[in-house]
Amino acid sequence: MSTTSPAPRHTEAARSEIPPGFAALIGILAVGAAVGAGELVAALISPASSPVLAVGNAVINYSPEPLTEFAKSHFGTNDKPILLSGMAVVIVVVAAAAGLASRRHPRPGVVTVVVLGLAGLLAVVAATVFSPLDVIAPLLSLGVGLVVFRLLHGLALRTYRPLPVGGEPTTEPPGGSRDGAGRVSRRDVLLGSSAAIGVVSLGSGVGGLLLANSGSSSRNAVTAALAMATLAERAPAIPAGASFAELGTPTFITANPDFYRIDVALRIPTQTASDWRLRIHGMVDKETTLTFADLMSRPLVERTITLTCVSNPVGGNLISTANFIGVELRPILLEAGIQPGAQQLFTTSIDGWNTSTPTDVVLEPDRGALLAIGMNGEALPPEHGFPVRMIVPGLFGYVSGTKWLSDMEITTFGAQRGYWYRRGWSEQAPIKTESRIDRPLAGTSVPGGRLTCAGIAWSQPTGIQGVEVRIDGGPWQAAQLSTEVNGRTWRMWRTDFDVGPGNHTVQTRATNHDGAVQTQTTADPIPNGASGWPATTFTAV
Ligand SMILES: Nc1nc2c(c(=O)[nH]1)N[C@H]1C(S)=C(S)[C@@H](COP(=O)(O)O)O[C@H]1N2
Ligand SMILES: [Mo]
């Protein structure tokens, strides 16, 4: 602050007025810097945390269906670039308006930057894919927006301070470029910082987009390659009678965004398909390193498989089904030559997670274990293991489903211990024969009279032969089963009861194709999976 001015500070500040063009530019620069920083940090930490893309996704998700249909039918695959350009226009207009409204006081601009920043944060947190580290990009973006706005706004207010009334000209005439001593004027500082901030924001925004795109363009390329590929084995079409979705069971195939997700990855690994390598070593005759191209050149098979998590409580929903595309793991191991005495495949993910899978299970000729690269017609989604994961039907995910696969050591059980085994879970864990009641829902009221109950049952890789249902401890009655797809997947059941008014409890027990009946013995998920007959209590009115 100049000390030569005789005018009190507050009048001075109140009289300062930033020219409209420059005020608008400050708004745009502040918001632009926020967007640029957000994109760059998101690309470095987690592509899912881009505040701009998260807001875009939220716009798509919360748009009324007719609007998204209109956009798809009129703009086709261009609907996303058009949405993003639209958002860019809105953001620039809002930022300029906020700048214009702040010609004297910073408050409108500060409020706008905070509101936009919070919108980005909210959209990231509410997204279907969210990990705790995802808050960094939107928070940092908000911070950068605020700092840049306050900085430029303060500089501009001081630069465009009018001459004190009746005072002598200051040593620094507004608009002048240098004072008598040849020092750089405030205006030069202002213009210089504006230009620098503009260039840095643009650079980080573009850099962030390019970085993020290298990941998604790798995924798109794999999706396109899978669409072109001739599959050696296609999953048979799912018959119409394979689920009772209209009665409350899940659909037979779980859409990728709805597929349950379990992992310990704070940050989703972002390796491209071309950078991917799998080293197979240890007790093998021939150590091998596979590339993604190696996988693509092998016969590709598509299999409908139900994946299950050991942490699923009785009645829980950590179970989903997809058409996985991949290559058979067994022939790869046979080519490498598994040595006698080998007991486990110790697999490690790009992010360091690891687990043990029994060698004899993976080598069973009919097991159908895969190195999976596709899921429901597209490349694996990032959160489900892109570019490559392991899938072994009949084993819980934690002892077989290594996502972001990068290393496979063939060894003995004693030599290596997996992430969850070291934390008290079993070293080996086949999936148990289980069932779940989806309708009626526990604690709900239903009209008395004829009542339809429905749910799911599973016993991979054997498959379900029967489900029995009873009400209020009465006789077990055989449920009607959905059309069987294969033993590696769940099967739905349904049955009807007549219910009078009052509280009732439904229970189920499943039997697999080997005749094994779901155990009544209750067990917690730890160490090797929950068990017990599910029971649902509801009220008929
Ligand atoms: N890299 C890695 N892979 C992993 C895990 C993990 O934490 N990290 N979790 C496993 C567990 S416990 C399960 S149940 C399955 C879940 O796979 P999904 O998220 O695709 O459903 O992945 C398995 N693979
Ligand atoms: Mo799991």
Side-chain angles (χ1 to χ4, degrees):
M1 276 300 206
S2 162
T3 46
T4 56
S5 164
R9 270 175 176 218
H10 64 272
T11 26
E12 197 180 351
R15 281 214 215 110
S16 295
E17 195 171 55
I18 307 167
F22 206 81
L25 184 67
I26 291 175
I28 294 171
L29 282 173
V31 173
V35 168
E39 288 314 293
L40 185 63
V41 173
L44 292 174
I45 295 182
S46 152
S49 69
S50 151
V52 173
L53 296 187
V55 169
N57 277 331
V59 169
I60 295 175
N61 291 342
Y62 295 107
S63 291
E65 182 61 21
L67 189 68
T68 35
E69 269 318 305
F70 174 86
K72 266 192 230 139
S73 57
H74 283 73
F75 306 129
T77 48
N78 283 331
D79 60 346
K80 285 183 191 68
I82 288 178
L83 171 72
L84 288 177
S85 325
M87 278 176 62
V89 171
V90 171
I91 290 173
V92 167
V93 168
V94 168
L100 274 175
S102 312
R103 287 181 62 194
R104 290 165 186 244
H105 255 287
R107 186 162 311 126
V110 168
V111 169
T112 306
V113 169
V114 169
V115 167
L116 289 178
L118 289 181
L121 179 66
L122 196 74
V124 166
V125 171
T128 25
V129 178
F130 172 73
S131 334
L133 286 190
D134 289 356
V135 300
I136 295 178
L139 282 180
L140 210 89
S141 161
L142 201 171
V144 166
L146 273 182
V147 167
V148 167
F149 183 78
R150 292 305 305 242
L151 185 98
L152 289 182
H153 195 270
L155 262 174
L157 271 190
R158 270 171 274 144
T159 305
Y160 293 104
R161 191 179 51 225
L163 298 181
V165 184
E168 319 232 313
T170 59
T171 51
E172 206 180 303
S177 66
R178 277 169 195 273
D179 64 13
R183 278 175 297 159
V184 178
S185 77
R186 285 218 169 103
R187 191 160 186 274
D188 286 342
V189 171
L190 178 61
L191 290 179
S193 3
S194 301
I197 286 167
V199 168
V200 170
S201 314
L202 206 67
S204 35
V206 171
L209 281 180
L210 288 179
L211 255 174
N213 253 321
S214 64
S216 68
S217 71
S218 175
R219 259 204 87 227
N220 292 342
V222 171
T223 298
L226 289 179
M228 305 282 291
T230 323
L231 301 187
E233 178 189 320
R234 242 188 204 295
I238 304 299
S243 76
F244 300 128
E246 70 287 356
L247 301 178
T249 72
T251 54
F252 196 85
I253 297 290
T254 314
N256 287 351
D258 301 331
F259 203 100
Y260 86 88
R261 174 187 169 198
I262 292 287
D263 55 62
V264 297
L266 269 183
R267 169 189 180 281
I268 296 175
T270 51
Q271 196 178 38
T272 62
S274 47
D275 288 340
W276 181 83
R277 296 286 181 279
L278 174 66
R279 191 162 85 94
I280 302 175
H281 60 109
M283 298 170 72
V284 288
D285 296 333
K286 208 167 57 186
E287 184 174 320
T288 318
T289 297
L290 293 175
T291 65
F292 200 83
D294 291 335
L295 295 189
M296 289 299 289
S297 68
R298 301 181 73 95
L300 290 174
V301 298
E302 184 184 36
R303 294 207 172 121
T304 313
I305 297 167
T306 296
L307 204 64
T308 315
C309 182
V310 69
S311 305
N312 198 31
V314 172
N317 56 11
L318 299 179
I319 176 165
S320 302
T321 302
N323 284 318
F324 288 98
I325 299 176
V327 302
E328 296 262 15
L329 180 52
R330 183 173 184 267
I332 292 177
L333 295 178
L334 294 181
E335 283 165 34
I338 304 292
Q339 294 174 349
Q343 292 172 316
Q344 63 150 322
L345 314 183
F346 188 76
T347 50
T348 305
S349 145
I350 295 165
D351 69 340
W353 184 87
N354 49 32
T355 197
S356 303
T357 309
T359 317
D360 53 0
V361 171
V362 176
L363 288 179
E364 285 170 21
D366 296 329
R367 180 60 65 156
L370 296 179
L371 293 183
I373 57 179
M375 185 170 172
N376 293 331
E378 48 179 274
L380 286 177
E383 67 275 20
H384 293 293
F386 181 83
V388 182
R389 78 176 302 177
M390 206 161 91
I391 296 282
V392 183
L395 299 184
F396 281 123
Y398 85 106
V399 285
S400 65
T402 308
K403 306 193 268 191
W404 315 293
L405 181 64
S406 80
D407 190 90
M408 182 180 286
E409 181 186 352
I410 319 303
T411 184
T412 59
F413 276 118
Q416 292 276 22
R417 289 148 51 91
Y419 184 94
W420 286 117
Y421 181 44
R422 296 196 304 275
R423 287 162 177 78
W425 298 74
S426 298
E427 186 167 47
Q428 299 191 48
I431 292 169
K432 299 178 178 182
T433 301
E434 298 293 331
S435 57
R436 185 181 81 190
I437 303 162
D438 291 333
R439 284 294 184 281
L441 289 169
T444 54
S445 289
V446 300
R450 202 84 182 137
L451 170 74
T452 300
C453 302
I456 61 176
W458 64 95
S459 184
Q460 308 96 297
T462 313
I464 291 295
Q465 170 193 298
V467 172
E468 295 166 289
V469 190
R470 69 177 182 184
I471 189 158
D472 301 326
W476 289 106
Q477 90 181 36
Q480 180 197 335
L481 294 182
S482 63
T483 309
E484 182 160 36
V485 171
N486 65 50
R488 300 169 179 137
T489 57
W490 54 18
R491 197 165 180 191
M492 282 51 169
W493 59 267
R494 60 161 293 176
T495 196
D496 296 334
F497 289 104
D498 284 315
V499 291
N503 289 343
H504 300 282
T505 299
V506 186
Q507 277 187 297
T508 56
R509 63 174 189 200
T511 304
N512 75 6
H513 281 302
D514 291 339
V517 181
Q518 177 175 358
T519 178
Q520 184 177 12
T521 311
T522 59
D524 285 336
I526 193 167
N528 62 9
S531 67
W533 295 337
T536 290
T537 301
F538 64 95
T539 309
V541 290

